[in-house]
Amino acid sequence: MKKSVGLALILSIVACGKAKDDELPASDLPADATSQTVAVRLLGVRAEGPVRVQLATLELTVDGAPISARMGTRELDLGNDQNAWAVSTFDLPVDARKVAIRLKLHSDGVIERNGRSQLLDLSGPPVSIIADAAQIRKRNKVVVEIDIARSLVERGEQLFLLPEFIVRY
């Protein structure tokens, strides 16, 4: 059991860095820099198969003030634990302390389990976090890792995704 948990943890950590083509490298800021480009990523883990969802909205605030973001991938497969999907990038001011992230998925998705596709109700609450800007600056990203197996809730014939997640930097 400990080996399985350890392996899952290692795979989760490694998966956050798999998408090299859109990865932002860690870098030291020049002394005159006013901001740093960082990414918001979404990773699904412990899924039995594809989990296709679409990003509806993403809201960002830095120290309580809204900021604009550049949207990335909107169509995601959270069943692919080998890719932490870059859903947005934004410019983090050098004096920022807290970053609030609120992302909402479209209300309908599709999950494949036991060889068949099933509608997935995503109309629950948005994923909301408040992240420490100093932690984000270290790796130029914040990764929201959703545990799909723990997030699925069945009610009769309906299947809901109520995200249980952790945040990694």
Side-chain angles (χ1 to χ4, degrees):
M1 178 69 175
K2 287 183 181 180
K3 285 183 181 180
S4 296
V5 171
L7 180 60
L9 180 60
I10 289 169
L11 289 175
S12 296
I13 291 169
V14 170
C16 290
K18 282 290 189 184
K20 297 203 184 310
D21 57 340
D22 61 354
E23 186 72 26
L24 298 172
S27 62
D28 293 326
L29 289 177
D32 61 345
T34 59
S35 66
Q36 174 182 358
T37 300
V38 299
V40 176
R41 295 179 163 276
L42 196 56
L43 174 68
V45 296
R46 294 186 352 114
E48 296 177 12
V51 181
R52 294 183 184 87
V53 301
Q54 290 185 347
L55 183 66
T57 61
L58 179 90
E59 298 171 7
L60 295 167
T61 61
V62 173
D63 297 328
I67 62 168
S68 62
R70 294 170 294 284
M71 296 304 289
T73 304
R74 286 190 177 267
E75 294 187 19
L76 318 168
D77 178 2
L78 297 179
N80 178 358
D81 64 1
Q82 299 300 305
N83 190 8
W85 301 92
V87 296
S88 177
T89 57
F90 66 97
D91 295 322
L92 180 64
V94 294
D95 60 347
R97 297 172 50 121
K98 296 289 180 193
V99 178
I101 302 168
R102 183 179 179 272
L103 62 89
K104 180 77 175 150
L105 300 172
H106 278 283
S107 60
D108 294 318
V110 175
I111 186 170
E112 291 184 29
R113 296 190 315 167
N114 303 322
R116 68 181 189 104
S117 294
Q118 185 175 357
L119 285 178
L120 182 60
D121 187 324
L122 304 164
S123 61
V127 173
S128 297
I129 64 169
I130 297 178
D132 180 33
Q135 293 293 323
I136 296 173
R137 275 190 205 95
K138 289 180 184 177
R139 298 274 321 268
N140 294 334
K141 65 183 171 186
V142 58
V143 179
V144 178
E145 182 180 300
I146 299 175
D147 184 329
I148 301 298
R150 293 182 59 135
S151 299
L152 294 176
V153 177
E154 290 187 72
R155 293 286 184 241
E157 292 294 314
Q158 289 186 296
L159 186 61
F160 299 89
L161 183 82
L162 301 174
E164 286 202 28
F165 60 91
I166 60 173
V167 178
R168 297 187 191 275
Y169 299 97

